Amino acid sequence: MQTISYTDSFLSILPPVIALLVALATRRVIIALSCGIVTGALLLSNFSFVDSGIYLSQLAAGLAWDDGAPNWWNLQIIIFLLLLGAMTSLMTATGATSAFAEWAKKRIKTKRHATVTTALLSFVVFVDDYFHSLAVGSVARPLTDQVGVSRAKLAYLLDSTAAPMCVLMPLSSWGAYIIALVGGLLVTHNITDMTPLAAFATMIPLNFYAIFALLMALVVAYFNINIGPMKQHEKNAEQGQLFDEKKGIPAGSVNHDFEADNGSPLGLVLPIVILTLVTFASFVVTGAAALEEGQAFTLLAALENTDVTLSLVIGGVVGLLISLGFAFKQQLSLAQLSHAIWVGVKAMSPAILILVFAWSISGVIGDMETGKYLASKLDGAISPSMMPVLVFALAGLMAFATGTSWGTFGIMLPIAADMSVASDVSLILPMLSAVLAGAVFGDHCSPISDTTILSSTGAACHHIDHVATQLPYALLVAKISIACYLVMGSTGSVIASLAVGLLLFAITIATLYHRQQNSALALSSK
């Protein structure tokens, strides 16, 4: 059906704004997303109820079947979630989760040990953000639960080490995608003195948000710094309430009426390790198979062409088979196996429902051309020294409104390159880095971001609780990043920018830690 164009209208931002306001007011994600979707449908159809109904039906159908073929990206993500849910449930049913928790109690005795271990796992599992949030969540949850770390804190650590790590690593699905985009821009603007990989490597120290988000996660894990709503969640966790029980069981939680009492920690570790190795191998194999005839094989070329979701499904199937092997070893009956798999699948249904609605509103936002409208607000007369920070802010706003980092990359990287070439070509890499940083920042803050949703699922935390508790940390890192980009635009010095960022980061952490210590002393003296 024909829809109305809102490229040049502020109305294009109405669906995401309404979804956000309703989410904040009701704390009901599905209701909020539904309001945004319906608003967009009415606007696109000029408030025709019949046309709105047709549009919504086409939107829903497109989630599973698009352009005459299955929408494998969406379908395979859902399949992977179901496989991981079944695998996690089998780990619990075989007693592996409890055995791993008992093993961990002897070695990881404090919150600091559990949270730092979780944060450091980002440096091991960085091949893909979806995979990181779900796989690390499965391993870390027993560690953090047994020492009284809230699920909100776990979700923050997962989310703040997923995209920031992936966006800095060339050997990741993100790195390969970015290198491909940057390579095209270098060719477009006839920049021949650097390769796409060299450009990406040069951009790494300029991605200030990703760098300081990782540092913030490590520092928060080590010093247990709690700000904003996180304070209450951590206080509740100390009393044994890991999540808000009034809201029910969050997505990703698995509860059984049966659990074997002779489980092995290997029953949790081995399926995750095998899943990780098989998934990475599948990234390489599917990427190599997609190379054009005559194109030389390299690891980066393979990752650039890899089928991410198919690789996740292959890894998930193998991981589930390993878990089934442990279940057979434990001599679980067919009824117990079936029940465990059903419980795992059911545990993932709330996350899948949120994801489906998030994909739907992303489709609406795309049809409303929200990203193009926001990009058009950049003024060509901006001073070159201010361009990096403004591009960072706009990319953040776009990713927040659309819920997608990769979509923001696709729209904003060409715009940033055009702006820098037209004014000061030496700013092209800082500008491109600012887009990457802003997109990750917006992704962290957005309640409709895939990674935000999957981090909530991996931690078994209520989604809006995760959004609310992560936001203060993300805003602090964004402020530091803004200062860095201001220095970068004014001086052109990477060292000066990082020095200013590190100084501000140290002052911020010292202030927060001092306040927290004073507050703790005040409470203990009462």
Side-chain angles (χ1 to χ4, degrees):
M1 60 170 282
Q2 188 69 30
T3 58
I4 297 174
S5 175
Y6 287 92
T7 308
D8 301 319
S9 172
F10 76 95
L11 291 175
S12 65
I13 68 171
L14 205 54
V17 168
I18 286 178
L20 176 63
L21 292 176
V22 174
L24 293 174
T26 66
R27 300 179 70 83
R28 303 279 184 176
V29 184
I30 300 299
I31 293 174
L33 294 175
S34 299
C35 290
I37 292 166
V38 171
T39 300
L42 289 170
L43 287 168
L44 288 165
S45 62
N46 201 23
F47 293 91
S48 166
F49 289 104
V50 174
D51 287 346
S52 294
I54 294 172
Y55 173 80
L56 290 173
S57 64
Q58 292 175 344
L59 182 69
L63 295 177
W65 190 269
D66 192 29
D67 290 334
N71 189 333
W72 286 117
W73 181 277
N74 290 356
L75 294 174
Q76 287 170 344
I77 286 292
I78 290 173
I79 292 169
F80 177 66
L81 282 171
L82 295 174
L83 289 168
L84 197 67
M87 190 174 86
T88 303
S89 184
L90 284 172
M91 290 174 183
T92 304
T94 59
T97 302
S98 295
F100 182 76
E102 288 298 319
W103 174 86
K105 282 180 182 177
K106 300 173 183 177
R107 295 160 178 82
I108 297 177
K109 302 179 183 296
T110 66
K111 283 187 176 184
R112 177 176 291 175
H113 289 158
T115 52
V116 169
T117 299
T118 300
L120 289 177
L121 282 172
S122 65
F123 296 94
V124 179
V125 186
F126 57 78
V127 70
D128 184 73
D129 57 328
Y130 292 176
F131 180 71
H132 171 281
S133 295
L134 294 169
V136 175
S138 297
V139 174
R141 205 185 314 152
L143 303 180
T144 54
D145 280 359
Q146 57 108 6
V147 292
V149 176
S150 70
R151 296 283 177 79
K153 174 67 73 64
L154 175 58
Y156 161 72
L157 293 174
L158 293 177
D159 207 352
S160 290
T161 56
M165 194 66 188
C166 290
V167 80
L168 294 174
M169 291 291 109
L171 296 180
S172 70
S173 57
W174 285 55
Y177 173 65
I178 294 164
I179 289 169
L181 289 177
V182 170
L185 293 173
L186 295 178
V187 171
T188 299
H189 295 288
N190 198 30
I191 298 173
T192 58
D193 58 346
M194 70 177 78
T195 65
L197 179 57
F200 181 88
T202 305
M203 289 162 60
I204 290 173
L206 293 167
N207 195 332
F208 301 122
Y209 181 85
I211 292 169
F212 287 109
L214 284 170
L215 284 176
M216 179 66 80
L218 289 168
V219 169
V220 167
Y222 188 83
F223 291 109
N224 191 32
I225 294 175
N226 302 307
I227 58 176
M230 190 71 82
K231 293 179 183 178
Q232 188 60 48
H233 283 271
E234 284 293 284
K235 183 178 179 181
N236 292 343
E238 289 174 0
Q239 300 169 358
Q241 187 179 326
L242 300 173
F243 54 85
D244 192 339
E245 296 172 355
K246 294 178 181 178
K247 298 177 184 176
I249 303 297
S253 296
V254 175
N255 293 298
H256 282 289
D257 51 13
F258 167 81
E259 185 174 339
D261 57 5
N262 58 340
S264 165
L266 201 61
L268 182 144
V269 175
L270 189 61
I272 295 293
V273 170
I274 296 295
L275 188 154
T276 303
L277 295 175
V278 170
T279 299
F280 184 75
S282 299
F283 281 157
V284 177
V285 172
T286 58
L291 294 176
E292 296 179 2
E293 187 176 350
Q295 183 179 356
F297 171 83
T298 65
L299 190 55
L300 277 175
L303 289 173
E304 180 183 330
N305 291 278
T306 190
D307 190 329
V308 173
T309 56
L310 176 60
S311 300
L312 289 173
V313 169
I314 293 170
V317 168
V318 175
L320 179 60
L321 290 175
I322 300 297
S323 292
L324 282 169
F326 279 95
F328 287 128
K329 185 180 178 181
Q330 297 290 86
Q331 298 183 337
L332 267 65
S333 68
L334 185 60
Q336 289 170 333
L337 277 175
S338 301
H339 179 68
I341 291 172
W342 166 246
V343 168
V345 167
K346 186 178 177 183
M348 286 297 177
S349 58
I352 291 171
L353 189 61
I354 294 173
L355 204 53
V356 166
F357 275 79
W359 284 332
S360 298
I361 199 170
S362 292
V364 170
I365 289 166
D367 291 336
M368 292 288 295
E369 299 185 307
T370 305
K372 291 182 180 179
Y373 170 76
L374 291 173
S376 70
K377 297 298 101 181
L378 277 178
D379 184 1
I382 297 171
S383 167
S385 65
M386 291 296 295
M387 288 200 305
V389 71
L390 290 175
V391 167
F392 170 80
L394 185 59
L397 181 60
M398 187 179 297
F400 177 79
T402 60
T404 168
S405 293
W406 285 32
T408 302
F409 295 160
I411 293 172
M412 284 298 301
L413 285 174
I415 292 172
D418 289 345
M419 290 174 63
S420 58
V421 169
S423 57
D424 183 356
V425 72
S426 67
L427 283 175
I428 187 167
L429 295 186
M431 291 279 282
L432 297 182
S433 302
V435 170
L436 302 183
V440 174
F441 164 54
D443 188 278
H444 272 172
C445 299
S446 177
I448 62 173
S449 159
D450 290 3
T451 310
T452 306
I453 294 166
L454 294 179
S455 294
S456 304
T457 305
C461 169
H462 290 293
H463 180 57
I464 294 299
D465 286 344
H466 168 45
V467 175
T469 50
Q470 177 162 260
L471 188 60
Y473 297 99
L475 291 174
L476 280 177
V477 175
K479 290 177 183 177
I480 294 169
S481 303
I482 286 171
C484 291
Y485 285 116
L486 285 171
V487 174
M488 186 69 221
S490 301
T491 68
S493 171
V494 180
I495 294 176
S497 304
L498 282 172
V500 168
L502 287 169
L503 177 62
L504 291 174
F505 182 81
I507 292 171
T508 300
I509 295 303
T511 303
L512 292 175
Y513 185 72
H514 182 68
R515 287 178 182 173
Q516 187 163 289
Q517 292 297 101
N518 286 345
S519 178
L521 287 172
L523 285 173
S524 63
S525 63
K526 288 183 179 179

